Amino acid sequence: MVAESGGPEDQKPQSDEARSAFAPPPGTSHPASPPEEDHPTSEFALPSGVHQDPGGPASSGGGHGGASHSDTLSSAFTPPSTYRAQQSPPAFTPAQGIPMVRLTKEAPWQDRMRTMLRMPVTERPAAETIQRTDDETGPAVPRVLDLTLRIGELLLAGGEGAEDVEAAMFAVTRSYGLDRSEPTVTFTLLSISHQPSLVDDPVTASRTVRRRGTDYTRLAAVFRLVDDITSEEVDVSLEEAYRRLAEIRRNRHPYPGWVLTAAAGLLAGSASVLVGGGVLVFIVAAAGAMLGDRLAWLCAGRGLPEFYQFTVAAMPPAAMGVALTLTHSTDIRPSAVITGGLFALLPGRALVAGVQDGLTGYYITASARLLEVMYFFIGIVAGVLIILYLGVQLGAQLNPEAQFVPNDRPVLQILASMALSLAFAVLLQQERSTVLAVTLNGGVAWIVFGAMARTGDISPVAATAVAAGLVGLFGQLFSRYRYTSSLPFITAAIGPLLPGSATYFGLLGVAQNDVTRGLTSLSTAVATALAIAIGVNLGSEISRLFMRVPGAVGGASRRAAKRTRGF
């Protein structure tokens, strides 16, 4: 090796290109370690000279030299000092204290979940897993969300209020242990979002409601499924819940088509008796309503929208009433025939649901429901007005000054109101076990209305509101007794209170070019309809004053639907 090295004359200086610009020059010593800035580190790494105490945050305050707790630095991803509750420092507590929320197991799941929804997120108690699963890690989140959306779809399509649909969806997710779930219900869209933790990505799913069908038997079955899911005594796995939900979807309606058509005729005939009709009027009104129902079914089979279905269904009763007028018979009330047909078509169910959503703070859903009611009403108005206009052109003597309802047969009218409620319950596809209760509820509503409006000479609108309030009160009590929805006990019972006569007189005034009288009567019909809806909701809210509603310990008041003052 030494022999191969050349002498001083053989050693030539290196060029600038032969060595790095960062190499130390000849004659200087190479540093033992490069400067700290030449080796950048993570901003979350511990700086030189600082050692993390292995004893954790609790022992950092008693380290060497009495160093304080803030002298020990750690990574931004380590748990904070308050992660363990046993070693957490004193936290700020308001002067009035933090109320402890305790959900009583005696209350129905509807009230418990409604209380949770009306409670701020920070005050909600942690979810308790009620339904056990075979997997220790819990059920699959997408499957639970899908089951929740399918249940909410059936409830919303059946006419249930938005708040009750959200309560049912919230109950299902909490029963399967999914905390931090937020359901959202609009008129045609259901969505739910679940966030496992603050550092995990949320999981969101949605479902669109495209078809609606009135079947309160299916609605009651869904409520029983949710009640079993939220019950600790019944084990309902995800597979079992899917199986029961599929059976509910596949079940046929409890009443065949011909029974529904007969129920429509009974409803119209009973309504005509309520407004002063006799036996012949009952028969003619029933025949007109059944014919209109069959025509509406024909239009539905051809795919026509519901607007045209209502228009076509309103024409036969109005045509029969005009035909009776042309006979110039003094013993028959043609107006009673037309009014009976209107009773069978007025969308009382959608009206009550729309106003209820508005009163509970779901304004988007309420606006959509009320817009749907307006379209249905316009369709009915169009059908009746066409026939009334033709009757006026043919010389039919339609008397807008004729007044209904003689006061000398109250027993017959009470029986007619009960028959109307019975027919309405069949049209809504209610369970046979609930038909008797809703029939009695409708009879009580008519007795209260007759006693106030006709015997006591009180405003018909005020009397209607009071009677509807009793319907809502009794409906809520019936539903809590049977642990089911209140709609089957309320919707059919308000049938005798619907503003059929005011609607007819308003349309007749418009057809005879007496717009002032027509609009006055139509405004009375609208006021009566709103009185029904508000009365039903108020009665339902009053019923909760007499029931044990879960809330804060110490007798705290029940939270309102919206925590706002309106500004």
Side-chain angles (χ1 to χ4, degrees):
M1 297 292 292
V2 177
E4 294 179 358
S5 60
E9 64 276 10
D10 296 329
Q11 295 180 359
K12 298 179 180 180
Q14 296 179 349
S15 62
D16 293 338
E17 292 81 3
R19 60 184 179 88
S20 173
F22 298 98
T28 60
S29 61
H30 187 74
S33 60
E36 183 179 0
E37 59 270 11
D38 290 346
H39 292 273
T41 58
S42 173
E43 60 179 349
F44 299 106
L46 295 176
S48 178
V50 179
H51 303 281
Q52 185 175 11
D53 192 352
S59 60
S60 61
H64 178 71
S68 62
H69 175 73
S70 59
D71 292 341
T72 302
L73 302 179
S74 60
S75 173
F77 297 103
T78 57
S81 59
T82 58
Y83 184 74
R84 285 177 281 189
Q86 297 85 351
Q87 303 167 354
S88 60
F92 171 75
T93 303
Q96 68 274 14
I98 301 177
M100 182 182 65
V101 178
R102 181 177 61 194
L103 298 179
T104 58
K105 301 298 182 181
E106 295 80 5
W109 65 266
Q110 298 99 314
D111 291 332
R112 288 187 280 120
M113 294 303 109
R114 187 181 291 108
T115 303
M116 294 286 293
L117 288 174
R118 296 180 177 184
M119 187 183 302
V121 179
T122 56
E123 298 181 11
R124 293 177 183 173
E128 300 178 4
T129 304
I130 296 177
Q131 300 299 332
R132 59 181 178 84
T133 56
D134 298 332
D135 190 1
E136 295 181 356
T137 60
V141 173
R143 295 199 65 195
V144 175
L145 298 184
D146 179 71
L147 174 67
T148 303
L149 289 173
R150 292 178 183 272
I151 291 177
E153 179 190 9
L154 285 181
L155 293 177
L156 187 62
E160 193 63 66
E163 186 178 30
D164 292 330
V165 176
E166 283 195 1
M169 296 172 64
F170 199 67
V172 173
T173 55
R174 290 183 65 86
S175 298
Y176 286 106
L178 298 188
D179 200 1
R180 299 188 180 92
S181 296
E182 289 295 334
T184 303
V185 176
T186 58
F187 186 58
T188 57
L189 181 64
L190 297 167
S191 63
I192 186 169
S193 178
H194 169 69
Q195 188 173 10
S197 65
L198 297 178
V199 296
D200 293 332
D201 295 332
V203 180
T204 304
S206 61
R207 195 173 183 88
T208 303
V209 180
R210 302 188 183 277
R211 293 180 60 86
R212 288 180 174 80
T214 304
D215 189 344
Y216 282 178
T217 300
R218 180 180 297 175
L219 190 69
V222 177
F223 264 77
R224 284 193 294 268
L225 174 59
V226 177
D227 185 66
D228 291 341
I229 292 176
T230 57
S231 176
E232 296 180 351
E233 290 77 14
V234 182
D235 293 333
V236 182
S237 62
L238 278 176
E239 289 73 16
E240 177 68 15
Y242 269 107
R243 184 189 64 80
R244 291 179 58 178
L245 195 62
E247 290 180 355
I248 294 173
R249 286 180 176 272
R250 288 195 302 265
N251 282 346
R252 298 177 61 88
H253 297 302
Y255 307 104
W258 66 270
V259 174
L260 298 180
T261 301
L266 177 60
L267 193 155
S270 302
S272 65
V273 174
L274 283 180
V275 294
V279 177
L280 182 58
V281 171
F282 177 91
I283 296 174
V284 175
M290 289 189 291
L291 179 59
D293 182 75
R294 286 294 89 190
L295 290 177
W297 277 104
L298 179 62
C299 294
R302 297 295 181 180
L304 291 179
E306 285 185 300
F307 177 86
Y308 302 105
Q309 298 176 27
F310 275 85
T311 302
V312 172
M315 288 183 175
M320 289 190 174
V322 172
L324 288 177
T325 304
L326 295 175
T327 60
H328 302 286
S329 177
T330 58
D331 298 332
I332 300 177
R333 290 178 177 267
S335 56
V337 176
I338 302 175
T339 301
L342 290 176
F343 267 88
L345 296 176
L346 291 178
R349 173 183 59 87
L351 175 66
V352 171
V355 175
Q356 181 180 359
D357 288 341
L359 294 177
T360 52
Y362 295 84
Y363 301 114
I364 297 178
T365 307
S367 301
R369 288 186 189 271
L370 294 178
L371 185 62
E372 181 186 40
V373 171
M374 185 188 71
Y375 273 107
F376 291 163
F377 187 77
I378 292 176
I380 298 171
V381 168
V384 175
L385 277 181
I386 291 174
I387 300 301
L388 291 181
Y389 181 77
L390 292 177
V392 171
Q393 299 301 317
L394 293 175
Q397 299 297 324
L398 298 173
N399 184 13
E401 302 297 334
Q403 296 298 325
F404 289 149
V405 191
N407 298 322
D408 55 348
R409 48 179 192 172
V411 177
L412 181 60
Q413 292 177 357
I414 293 174
L415 294 177
S417 65
M418 296 176 66
L420 191 152
S421 300
L422 172 64
F424 207 167
V426 174
L427 287 175
L428 294 173
Q429 302 281 1
Q430 291 190 199
E431 293 180 307
R432 292 179 175 88
S433 59
T434 63
V435 172
L436 178 60
V438 73
T439 301
L440 296 176
N441 202 9
V444 171
W446 182 259
I447 291 174
V448 173
F449 173 78
M452 295 182 63
R454 297 171 186 172
T455 304
D457 292 332
I458 300 177
S459 172
V461 176
T464 301
V466 174
L470 289 178
V471 168
L473 175 61
F474 292 151
Q476 284 291 338
L477 296 179
F478 279 132
S479 66
R480 292 304 183 266
Y481 175 74
R482 297 176 60 92
Y483 289 93
T484 184
S485 173
S486 61
L487 286 180
F489 302 97
I490 292 177
T491 307
I494 64 173
L497 304 176
L498 292 176
S501 59
T503 303
Y504 164 70
F505 283 127
L507 298 180
L508 181 59
V510 174
Q512 294 179 341
N513 292 327
D514 193 351
V515 181
T516 303
R517 185 178 66 239
L519 293 180
T520 302
S521 186
L522 288 177
S523 63
T524 303
V526 173
T528 304
L530 292 178
I532 292 174
I534 296 174
V536 167
N537 182 266
L538 183 59
S540 301
E541 295 293 332
I542 291 176
S543 66
R544 297 189 178 99
L545 298 177
F546 305 99
M547 295 184 296
R548 185 179 181 183
V549 179
V553 176
S557 59
R558 172 176 173 269
R559 292 188 180 274
K562 286 292 180 182
R563 292 160 295 279
T564 178
R565 296 181 183 270
F567 53 83

